[in-house]
Amino acid sequence: MSSHQECMDTVSDFVRLGTMLLNCKILTGRTCFEVEPDALRVLSKIHQKPVFPLGLLPPSMPNNELDKNDQTWEALKKWLDSKQEKSVFYVALGSEVNLSLEFMHELAFGIEKSGLPFLWVVRNRPLVEGESVQDIIPTGFEERVSNRGLVLRDWAPQLRVLAHSSAGGFLTHCGWRLVARLMLGKKLGLGIERNDIDGSFTSESVASSIRKVMVDPEGEQIRANAYAMKEIFGNADLSNKYLEELSRSIEEIMRFDQAEVCNIVL
């Protein structure tokens, strides 16, 4: 009998995925018809199988009572409360992206040049090009922007920050490329202009992108689209409806096809 590792070495992920697609009964994924109607119809047509979206599965907000004992959030909330509605842009690159020292400085200078209120979460991490986490922010940066910006080390309650009324934009690495394409295609966001050859960017492109999304007239449509889509992305009832439909579909398949296992590809 082959070991698990031997199977991993001899069967590629593409083969595994292809086998599952051929033998499954239904397809499902974290999306909905309100966001990707055409893609879901094409997926069903290509594979000749029913597609049941899971909805967007919005995360639950933390308990308010617990927040009262969270001194970090209480201090941060006080700072956010002092800002105007939709005026603050939140910067967080997550745990997957480690920018070089040069790019971290370009990002910082771009944030500074934007002239807008911001909250930047800088993750503690191992040395970057020989510099400690305290040194990856340009010298004097925090002092220069102290009247409108706040830099947090390592962590922030992201859901709480983004749900606050003063939050108006989010600068991030955007995760999977398909997520980026979806956001750009539906004009829900704006990609920072980068060099096609080496992927580099300048502080000017960072500042320009921030201002377009947050305040410039040419970004008005992006802002309108994003605020409208908020009603879909944060709609727990909509996601529950999709989950109920999926549950009913699985029950029907199991009832009428009891001789076979109900295979689902997520």
Side-chain angles (χ1 to χ4, degrees):
M1 177 181 293
S2 299
S3 68
H4 172 71
Q5 186 58 50
E6 288 173 336
C7 289
M8 291 291 290
D9 293 339
T10 58
V11 182
S12 71
D13 290 339
F14 288 107
V15 172
R16 293 173 186 274
L17 178 60
T19 301
M20 287 189 294
L21 288 172
L22 287 173
N23 294 283
C24 71
K25 296 293 184 182
I26 65 175
L27 303 174
T28 186
R30 187 182 178 184
T31 185
C32 64
F33 281 106
E34 288 77 6
V35 175
E36 299 181 280
D38 296 334
L40 288 168
R41 294 188 187 98
V42 169
L43 186 64
S44 180
K45 185 176 181 180
I46 289 174
H47 296 288
Q48 293 296 298
K49 301 176 188 294
V51 175
F52 293 93
L54 292 172
L56 297 173
L57 305 177
S60 300
M61 293 291 288
N63 186 289
N64 286 329
E65 292 301 318
L66 295 178
D67 286 342
K68 294 178 181 179
N69 298 319
D70 187 339
Q71 294 182 349
T72 300
W73 167 241
E74 283 299 305
L76 180 54
K77 183 178 183 300
K78 183 177 180 180
W79 184 86
L80 291 169
D81 287 343
S82 70
K83 306 303 177 185
Q84 295 182 3
E85 183 177 358
K86 298 176 182 177
S87 66
V88 176
F89 67 93
Y90 174 60
V91 186
L93 301 182
S95 59
E96 298 180 8
V97 175
N98 287 323
L99 294 181
S100 67
L101 187 63
E102 177 187 0
F103 287 167
M104 283 294 290
H105 283 196
E106 285 296 323
L107 178 60
F109 293 138
I111 290 171
E112 183 176 358
K113 290 176 181 178
S114 74
L116 298 174
F118 69 90
L119 171 62
W120 186 8
V121 179
V122 180
R123 184 173 58 89
N124 287 333
R125 58 186 179 176
L127 297 183
V128 178
E129 297 182 1
E131 302 291 339
S132 68
V133 68
Q134 288 78 14
D135 299 322
I136 62 177
I137 301 296
T139 302
F141 171 80
E142 293 181 70
E143 290 77 12
R144 293 194 300 271
V145 300
S146 60
N147 64 325
R148 60 181 173 86
L150 183 63
V151 178
L152 293 183
R153 307 292 177 176
D154 197 35
W155 180 85
Q158 184 160 289
L159 283 179
R160 285 295 185 198
V161 171
L162 293 174
H164 195 277
S165 60
S166 68
F170 186 11
L171 194 163
T172 185
H173 70 98
C174 205
W176 295 335
R177 291 182 180 180
L178 63 88
V179 175
R181 287 199 297 269
L182 174 64
M183 292 188 66
L184 296 178
K186 291 187 173 294
K187 293 182 171 58
L188 300 174
L190 182 68
I192 293 176
E193 184 177 344
R194 306 182 65 153
N195 186 295
D196 292 335
I197 297 176
D198 59 13
S200 62
F201 58 87
T202 65
S203 58
E204 285 76 15
S205 65
V206 172
S208 174
S209 297
I210 292 172
R211 293 197 60 83
K212 283 180 183 178
V213 168
M214 294 292 294
V215 295
D216 287 353
E218 58 189 301
E220 186 175 343
Q221 189 60 58
I222 292 176
R223 293 191 290 275
N225 292 343
Y227 296 143
M229 193 60 70
K230 178 182 178 181
E231 300 304 318
I232 296 174
F233 275 74
N235 193 329
D237 291 337
L238 180 63
S239 285
N240 289 337
K241 183 196 75 170
Y242 277 113
L243 290 173
E244 290 170 1
E245 291 176 356
L246 175 62
S247 178
R248 285 195 299 269
S249 301
I250 294 174
E251 290 175 358
E252 289 178 7
I253 292 174
M254 295 296 290
R255 184 165 58 249
F256 292 108
D257 201 1
Q258 294 181 2
E260 297 185 31
V261 175
C262 179
N263 293 319
I264 303 172
V265 172
L266 297 173

Coordinates of all heavy atoms in Angstrom, one line a residue, residues 141-216:
F141 N 8.9 59.4 10.8 CA 7.5 59.3 10.2 C 6.4 59.5 11.2 O 5.5 60.3 10.9 CB 7.4 57.9 9.5 CG 6.0 57.6 9.0 CD1 5.6 58.1 7.8 CD2 5.2 56.8 9.7 CE1 4.3 57.8 7.3 CE2 3.9 56.5 9.3 CZ 3.5 57.0 8.0
E142 N 6.4 58.8 12.3 CA 5.3 58.8 13.2 C 5.2 60.2 13.8 O 4.1 60.6 14.1 CB 5.5 57.7 14.3 CG 5.4 56.3 13.8 CD 5.6 55.3 14.8 OE1 4.7 55.1 15.7 OE2 6.6 54.6 14.8
E143 N 6.3 60.9 14.1 CA 6.2 62.2 14.6 C 5.6 63.2 13.6 O 4.8 64.0 14.0 CB 7.6 62.7 15.0 CG 8.3 62.0 16.2 CD 8.8 60.7 15.8 OE1 8.9 60.3 14.6 OE2 9.1 59.9 16.8
R144 N 5.9 63.0 12.3 CA 5.4 63.9 11.3 C 3.9 63.8 11.1 O 3.2 64.7 10.7 CB 6.2 63.7 10.0 CG 7.6 64.1 10.0 CD 8.2 64.2 8.6 NE 8.1 63.0 7.9 CZ 9.0 62.0 7.9 NH1 10.1 62.2 8.7 NH2 8.9 60.9 7.2
V145 N 3.4 62.6 11.3 CA 2.0 62.3 11.0 C 1.1 62.2 12.3 O 0.0 61.8 12.2 CB 1.8 61.1 10.1 CG1 2.5 61.2 8.8 CG2 2.3 59.8 10.9
S146 N 1.7 62.5 13.4 CA 1.0 62.2 14.7 C -0.3 62.9 14.8 O -1.2 62.5 15.6 CB 2.0 62.6 15.8 OG 2.3 63.9 15.8
N147 N -0.5 64.1 14.1 CA -1.7 64.8 14.2 C -2.9 64.2 13.5 O -4.0 64.6 13.6 CB -1.5 66.3 13.8 CG -1.1 66.3 12.3 OD1 -0.5 65.4 11.8 ND2 -1.6 67.4 11.6
R148 N -2.6 63.2 12.6 CA -3.7 62.6 11.8 C -3.6 61.1 11.6 O -4.5 60.5 11.1 CB -3.7 63.3 10.4 CG -2.4 63.1 9.6 CD -2.5 63.8 8.2 NE -1.2 63.7 7.5 CZ -0.8 62.7 6.8 NH1 -1.6 61.6 6.7 NH2 0.3 62.7 6.1
G149 N -2.4 60.5 12.0 CA -2.3 59.1 11.8 C -1.8 58.4 13.0 O -1.3 58.9 14.0
L150 N -2.1 57.0 13.0 CA -1.8 56.2 14.1 C -1.1 54.9 13.6 O -1.7 54.3 12.7 CB -3.0 55.9 14.9 CG -2.8 55.1 16.2 CD1 -2.0 55.8 17.2 CD2 -4.2 54.8 16.8
V151 N 0.0 54.5 14.1 CA 0.7 53.3 13.8 C 0.6 52.3 15.0 O 1.0 52.7 16.1 CB 2.2 53.5 13.4 CG1 2.9 52.2 13.1 CG2 2.3 54.5 12.3
L152 N 0.0 51.2 14.7 CA -0.1 50.1 15.7 C 0.9 49.0 15.4 O 1.0 48.6 14.2 CB -1.5 49.6 15.8 CG -2.6 50.5 16.2 CD1 -4.0 49.7 16.3 CD2 -2.3 51.1 17.6
R153 N 1.5 48.5 16.4 CA 2.4 47.4 16.3 C 1.7 46.0 16.4 O 1.1 45.8 17.4 CB 3.6 47.5 17.3 CG 4.3 48.8 17.3 CD 5.1 49.1 16.1 NE 5.7 50.4 16.1 CZ 6.5 50.9 15.2 NH1 6.8 50.1 14.1 NH2 7.0 52.1 15.2
D154 N 1.9 45.2 15.4 CA 1.5 43.8 15.4 C 0.1 43.5 15.2 O -0.2 42.6 14.5 CB 2.0 43.2 16.7 CG 2.0 41.6 16.7 OD1 2.3 41.1 15.6 OD2 1.8 41.0 17.7
W155 N -0.9 44.1 15.9 CA -2.3 43.7 15.8 C -3.3 44.8 16.1 O -3.0 45.7 16.8 CB -2.5 42.6 16.9 CG -3.9 42.0 16.9 CD1 -4.3 41.0 16.2 CD2 -4.9 42.4 17.8 NE1 -5.7 40.7 16.5 CE2 -6.1 41.6 17.5 CE3 -5.1 43.4 18.7 CZ2 -7.3 41.8 18.1 CZ3 -6.3 43.6 19.3 CH2 -7.4 42.7 19.0
A156 N -4.4 44.6 15.4 CA -5.6 45.5 15.7 C -6.9 44.7 15.5 O -6.9 43.7 14.7 CB -5.6 46.7 14.8
P157 N -7.9 45.0 16.2 CA -9.2 44.3 16.0 C -9.8 44.7 14.7 O -10.7 45.6 14.6 CB -10.0 44.7 17.2 CG -9.5 46.1 17.6 CD -8.0 46.0 17.3
Q158 N -9.4 44.1 13.6 CA -9.8 44.5 12.3 C -11.3 44.7 12.0 O -11.7 45.6 11.4 CB -9.1 43.5 11.3 CG -9.3 44.0 9.8 CD -8.3 43.3 8.9 OE1 -7.1 43.6 8.9 NE2 -8.8 42.4 8.1
L159 N -12.1 43.7 12.4 CA -13.5 43.8 12.2 C -14.1 45.0 12.9 O -14.9 45.7 12.3 CB -14.2 42.6 12.8 CG -14.1 41.3 11.9 CD1 -14.9 40.1 12.6 CD2 -14.7 41.5 10.5
R160 N -13.6 45.3 14.1 CA -14.1 46.5 14.8 C -13.7 47.8 14.1 O -14.5 48.7 13.9 CB -13.6 46.5 16.2 CG -14.3 45.5 17.1 CD -15.7 45.9 17.3 NE -16.4 45.0 18.3 CZ -17.7 44.9 18.4 NH1 -18.5 45.6 17.6 NH2 -18.2 44.1 19.3
V161 N -12.5 47.8 13.6 CA -11.9 49.0 12.9 C -12.8 49.2 11.6 O -13.2 50.4 11.4 CB -10.5 48.8 12.6 CG1 -10.0 50.0 11.6 CG2 -9.6 48.8 13.8
L162 N -12.9 48.2 10.8 CA -13.6 48.4 9.5 C -15.1 48.7 9.7 O -15.7 49.3 8.8 CB -13.4 47.1 8.7 CG -12.0 46.9 8.2 CD1 -11.9 45.5 7.5 CD2 -11.5 48.0 7.3
A163 N -15.7 48.2 10.8 CA -17.1 48.5 11.1 C -17.3 49.9 11.7 O -18.5 50.4 11.7 CB -17.6 47.4 12.0
H164 N -16.3 50.6 12.1 CA -16.4 51.9 12.7 C -16.8 52.9 11.6 O -16.4 52.9 10.5 CB -15.1 52.3 13.4 CG -15.3 53.5 14.3 ND1 -15.3 54.8 13.9 CD2 -15.4 53.5 15.7 CE1 -15.4 55.6 14.9 NE2 -15.5 54.8 16.0
S165 N -17.6 53.9 12.1 CA -18.2 54.9 11.1 C -17.1 55.7 10.5 O -17.3 56.3 9.4 CB -19.2 55.7 11.8 OG -18.6 56.4 12.9
S166 N -15.9 55.9 11.1 CA -14.9 56.8 10.6 C -14.1 56.1 9.5 O -13.3 56.7 8.8 CB -14.0 57.2 11.7 OG -13.2 56.2 12.2
A167 N -14.2 54.7 9.4 CA -13.4 54.0 8.4 C -14.0 54.2 7.0 O -15.2 54.0 6.8 CB -13.4 52.5 8.7
G168 N -13.2 54.7 6.1 CA -13.7 55.0 4.7 C -12.9 54.2 3.6 O -13.4 54.2 2.5
G169 N -11.8 53.6 4.0 CA -11.0 52.9 3.0 C -10.1 51.9 3.6 O -9.8 51.9 4.8
F170 N -9.6 50.9 2.8 CA -8.8 49.8 3.3 C -7.7 49.6 2.2 O -8.0 49.2 1.1 CB -9.7 48.6 3.4 CG -9.0 47.4 4.1 CD1 -7.7 47.5 4.7 CD2 -9.6 46.1 4.1 CE1 -7.1 46.4 5.3 CE2 -9.0 45.0 4.7 CZ -7.7 45.2 5.3
L171 N -6.5 49.7 2.7 CA -5.3 49.5 1.8 C -4.7 48.2 2.3 O -4.2 48.0 3.4 CB -4.3 50.6 1.9 CG -3.2 50.7 0.9 CD1 -2.5 52.0 0.9 CD2 -2.1 49.6 1.1
T172 N -4.7 47.2 1.4 CA -4.2 45.8 1.7 C -3.6 45.2 0.5 O -3.7 45.7 -0.6 CB -5.4 45.0 2.3 OG1 -4.8 43.7 2.7 CG2 -6.5 44.7 1.3
H173 N -3.0 44.0 0.7 CA -2.5 43.3 -0.5 C -3.5 42.6 -1.3 O -3.3 42.0 -2.4 CB -1.4 42.3 0.0 CG -2.0 41.1 0.7 ND1 -2.2 39.9 0.2 CD2 -2.4 41.0 2.0 CE1 -2.8 39.1 1.0 NE2 -2.9 39.7 2.2
C174 N -4.8 42.4 -0.8 CA -5.9 42.0 -1.5 C -6.0 40.5 -1.7 O -6.9 39.9 -2.3 CB -6.1 42.6 -2.9 SG -7.7 42.7 -3.5
G175 N -5.1 39.7 -1.1 CA -5.2 38.2 -1.2 C -5.1 37.6 -2.6 O -4.3 38.1 -3.4
W176 N -6.0 36.6 -2.8 CA -6.0 35.9 -4.1 C -6.1 36.9 -5.3 O -6.9 37.9 -5.2 CB -7.1 34.9 -4.2 CG -6.9 33.8 -3.2 CD1 -5.8 33.4 -2.6 CD2 -8.0 33.0 -2.7 NE1 -6.0 32.3 -1.8 CE2 -7.4 32.1 -1.8 CE3 -9.4 33.0 -2.8 CZ2 -8.1 31.2 -1.1 CZ3 -10.1 32.0 -2.2 CH2 -9.5 31.1 -1.3
R177 N -5.5 36.6 -6.4 CA -5.7 37.4 -7.6 C -7.1 37.5 -8.1 O -7.5 38.5 -8.6 CB -4.8 36.8 -8.7 CG -3.3 37.0 -8.4 CD -2.4 36.5 -9.6 NE -1.0 36.6 -9.3 CZ -0.1 36.3 -10.2 NH1 -0.4 35.7 -11.3 NH2 1.2 36.5 -9.9
L178 N -7.9 36.4 -7.9 CA -9.2 36.4 -8.4 C -10.1 37.4 -7.6 O -11.0 38.0 -8.1 CB -9.9 35.0 -8.3 CG -10.0 34.3 -7.0 CD1 -11.3 34.7 -6.3 CD2 -10.0 32.8 -7.1
V179 N -9.7 37.6 -6.3 CA -10.4 38.6 -5.5 C -10.1 40.0 -6.0 O -10.9 40.9 -6.1 CB -10.0 38.5 -4.0 CG1 -10.6 39.6 -3.2 CG2 -10.4 37.1 -3.4
A180 N -8.8 40.2 -6.3 CA -8.4 41.5 -6.9 C -9.1 41.8 -8.2 O -9.6 42.9 -8.5 CB -6.9 41.5 -7.1
R181 N -9.2 40.8 -9.1 CA -9.9 40.9 -10.4 C -11.3 41.2 -10.2 O -11.9 42.1 -10.9 CB -9.7 39.7 -11.2 CG -8.3 39.5 -11.8 CD -8.3 38.5 -13.0 NE -8.7 37.2 -12.6 CZ -7.9 36.2 -12.2 NH1 -6.6 36.5 -12.1 NH2 -8.4 35.1 -11.8
L182 N -12.0 40.6 -9.2 CA -13.4 40.8 -8.9 C -13.6 42.3 -8.5 O -14.5 43.0 -9.0 CB -13.9 39.9 -7.9 CG -15.3 40.1 -7.4 CD1 -16.3 39.9 -8.5 CD2 -15.6 39.1 -6.2
M183 N -12.7 42.7 -7.6 CA -12.9 44.1 -7.0 C -12.6 45.1 -8.1 O -13.4 46.1 -8.2 CB -11.9 44.3 -5.9 CG -12.3 43.5 -4.6 SD -11.2 43.9 -3.2 CE -11.8 45.6 -2.9
L184 N -11.6 44.9 -8.9 CA -11.3 45.9 -10.0 C -12.3 45.8 -11.1 O -12.7 46.9 -11.6 CB -9.9 45.6 -10.5 CG -8.7 45.8 -9.5 CD1 -7.4 45.5 -10.2 CD2 -8.7 47.2 -9.0
G185 N -12.8 44.6 -11.4 CA -13.8 44.5 -12.5 C -15.1 45.1 -12.1 O -15.8 45.7 -13.0
K186 N -15.5 45.1 -10.9 CA -16.7 45.7 -10.5 C -16.5 47.1 -9.9 O -17.5 47.7 -9.4 CB -17.4 44.8 -9.4 CG -17.9 43.5 -9.9 CD -18.7 42.7 -8.9 CE -19.3 41.5 -9.5 NZ -20.4 41.8 -10.5
K187 N -15.3 47.6 -10.1 CA -15.0 49.0 -9.7 C -15.3 49.2 -8.2 O -15.9 50.2 -7.8 CB -15.7 50.0 -10.5 CG -15.2 50.0 -12.0 CD -15.9 51.1 -12.8 CE -15.3 51.2 -14.2 NZ -15.3 50.0 -15.0
L188 N -14.9 48.2 -7.4 CA -15.0 48.3 -5.9 C -13.8 48.8 -5.3 O -13.7 49.1 -4.1 CB -15.4 47.0 -5.3 CG -16.7 46.3 -5.8 CD1 -16.9 45.0 -5.3 CD2 -17.9 47.2 -5.4
G189 N -12.7 48.8 -6.0 CA -11.4 49.2 -5.5 C -10.5 49.7 -6.6 O -10.9 49.8 -7.8
L190 N -9.3 50.0 -6.2 CA -8.3 50.6 -7.2 C -6.9 50.0 -6.9 O -6.5 50.0 -5.7 CB -8.2 52.1 -7.0 CG -7.3 52.9 -8.0 CD1 -7.8 52.8 -9.4 CD2 -7.2 54.3 -7.6
G191 N -6.3 49.4 -7.9 CA -5.0 48.9 -7.7 C -3.9 50.0 -7.8 O -4.0 50.9 -8.6
I192 N -2.9 49.9 -6.9 CA -1.8 50.9 -6.9 C -1.0 50.6 -8.1 O -0.6 49.4 -8.4 CB -1.0 50.8 -5.6 CG1 -1.8 51.2 -4.4 CG2 0.3 51.6 -5.7 CD1 -1.0 51.1 -3.1
E193 N -0.7 51.6 -8.9 CA 0.1 51.5 -10.1 C 1.5 50.9 -9.8 O 2.2 51.4 -8.9 CB 0.2 52.8 -10.8 CG 0.9 52.7 -12.2 CD 1.0 54.1 -12.9 OE1 0.2 55.0 -12.5 OE2 1.8 54.2 -13.8
R194 N 1.9 49.8 -10.5 CA 3.2 49.2 -10.3 C 3.9 49.0 -11.5 O 3.3 48.9 -12.6 CB 2.9 47.8 -9.5 CG 2.1 47.9 -8.3 CD 1.9 46.6 -7.6 NE 3.2 46.1 -7.1 CZ 3.3 45.3 -6.1 NH1 2.2 44.9 -5.4 NH2 4.5 44.9 -5.7
N195 N 5.2 48.8 -11.4 CA 6.1 48.5 -12.6 C 5.8 47.1 -13.1 O 5.8 46.1 -12.3 CB 7.5 48.6 -12.1 CG 8.5 48.4 -13.3 OD1 8.6 47.4 -13.9 ND2 9.2 49.5 -13.6
D196 N 5.5 46.9 -14.4 CA 5.1 45.6 -14.9 C 6.2 44.6 -14.9 O 6.0 43.4 -14.9 CB 4.6 45.8 -16.4 CG 3.3 46.5 -16.5 OD1 2.6 46.5 -15.5 OD2 3.0 47.1 -17.5
I197 N 7.5 45.1 -14.8 CA 8.6 44.2 -14.9 C 9.0 43.7 -13.5 O 9.1 42.5 -13.3 CB 9.8 44.9 -15.5 CG1 9.5 45.3 -16.9 CG2 11.1 44.0 -15.5 CD1 10.6 46.1 -17.6
D198 N 9.2 44.6 -12.5 CA 9.6 44.1 -11.2 C 8.6 44.3 -10.1 O 8.9 44.0 -8.9 CB 10.9 44.8 -10.8 CG 10.8 46.4 -10.8 OD1 9.6 46.8 -10.8 OD2 11.8 47.1 -10.7
G199 N 7.4 44.8 -10.4 CA 6.4 44.9 -9.4 C 6.6 46.1 -8.4 O 5.8 46.2 -7.4
S200 N 7.5 46.9 -8.7 CA 7.8 48.0 -7.7 C 6.8 49.1 -7.8 O 6.0 49.2 -8.8 CB 9.2 48.6 -8.0 OG 9.2 49.2 -9.3
F201 N 6.7 50.0 -6.8 CA 5.7 51.1 -6.8 C 6.4 52.3 -6.2 O 7.4 52.1 -5.5 CB 4.4 50.7 -6.1 CG 4.7 50.3 -4.7 CD1 4.7 51.2 -3.6 CD2 4.8 48.9 -4.3 CE1 4.9 50.8 -2.3 CE2 5.0 48.5 -3.0 CZ 5.1 49.5 -2.0
T202 N 5.8 53.4 -6.3 CA 6.4 54.7 -5.8 C 5.5 55.3 -4.7 O 4.3 54.9 -4.7 CB 6.6 55.7 -6.9 OG1 5.4 56.1 -7.4 CG2 7.5 55.1 -8.0
S203 N 6.0 56.1 -3.9 CA 5.2 56.8 -2.9 C 4.1 57.7 -3.6 O 3.0 57.8 -3.1 CB 6.1 57.6 -2.0 OG 6.8 58.6 -2.8
E204 N 4.5 58.2 -4.8 CA 3.5 59.0 -5.5 C 2.3 58.2 -5.9 O 1.1 58.7 -5.8 CB 4.1 59.7 -6.7 CG 5.1 60.8 -6.4 CD 6.4 60.4 -5.9 OE1 6.7 59.2 -6.0 OE2 7.1 61.2 -5.4
S205 N 2.5 57.0 -6.4 CA 1.4 56.1 -6.8 C 0.6 55.7 -5.6 O -0.7 55.5 -5.7 CB 1.9 54.9 -7.6 OG 2.7 54.0 -6.8
V206 N 1.2 55.5 -4.5 CA 0.5 55.1 -3.3 C -0.4 56.3 -2.9 O -1.6 56.1 -2.6 CB 1.4 54.8 -2.1 CG1 0.6 54.6 -0.8 CG2 2.2 53.5 -2.5
A207 N 0.1 57.5 -2.8 CA -0.6 58.7 -2.4 C -1.8 58.9 -3.3 O -2.9 59.2 -2.9 CB 0.3 59.9 -2.3
S208 N -1.5 58.8 -4.6 CA -2.5 59.1 -5.6 C -3.7 58.1 -5.5 O -4.9 58.5 -5.6 CB -1.9 59.0 -7.0 OG -2.9 59.1 -8.0
S209 N -3.4 56.8 -5.3 CA -4.4 55.8 -5.2 C -5.3 56.0 -4.0 O -6.5 55.9 -4.0 CB -3.8 54.4 -5.2 OG -3.1 54.1 -6.4
I210 N -4.6 56.4 -2.9 CA -5.4 56.6 -1.6 C -6.3 57.8 -1.8 O -7.5 57.7 -1.4 CB -4.4 56.9 -0.5 CG1 -3.6 55.6 -0.1 CG2 -5.1 57.4 0.8 CD1 -2.5 55.8 0.9
R211 N -5.9 58.8 -2.4 CA -6.7 60.0 -2.5 C -7.9 59.8 -3.5 O -9.0 60.2 -3.3 CB -5.9 61.2 -3.0 CG -4.9 61.7 -1.9 CD -4.4 63.1 -2.2 NE -5.5 64.1 -2.3 CZ -6.0 64.7 -1.2 NH1 -5.5 64.4 0.0 NH2 -7.0 65.5 -1.3
K212 N -7.6 59.0 -4.6 CA -8.7 58.7 -5.5 C -9.8 57.9 -4.8 O -11.0 58.2 -5.0 CB -8.1 57.9 -6.7 CG -7.3 58.7 -7.7 CD -6.8 57.8 -8.8 CE -6.0 58.6 -9.8 NZ -5.4 57.7 -10.9
V213 N -9.4 56.9 -4.1 CA -10.4 56.1 -3.4 C -11.1 56.8 -2.3 O -12.3 56.7 -2.1 CB -9.7 54.8 -2.8 CG1 -10.7 54.1 -1.8 CG2 -9.3 53.9 -3.9
M214 N -10.4 57.7 -1.6 CA -11.0 58.4 -0.4 C -11.7 59.7 -0.7 O -12.8 59.9 -0.1 CB -9.9 58.6 0.6 CG -9.3 57.3 1.2 SD -10.4 56.4 2.2 CE -10.7 57.5 3.6
V215 N -11.1 60.6 -1.5 CA -11.7 61.9 -1.6 C -11.8 62.5 -3.0 O -12.6 63.4 -3.2 CB -10.8 62.9 -0.7 CG1 -11.0 62.5 0.8 CG2 -9.4 62.9 -1.1
D216 N -11.0 62.1 -3.9 CA -11.0 62.8 -5.2 C -12.3 62.5 -6.0 O -12.8 61.4 -5.9 CB -9.8 62.3 -6.1 CG -8.5 62.9 -5.6 OD1 -8.5 63.8 -4.7 OD2 -7.4 62.4 -6.1

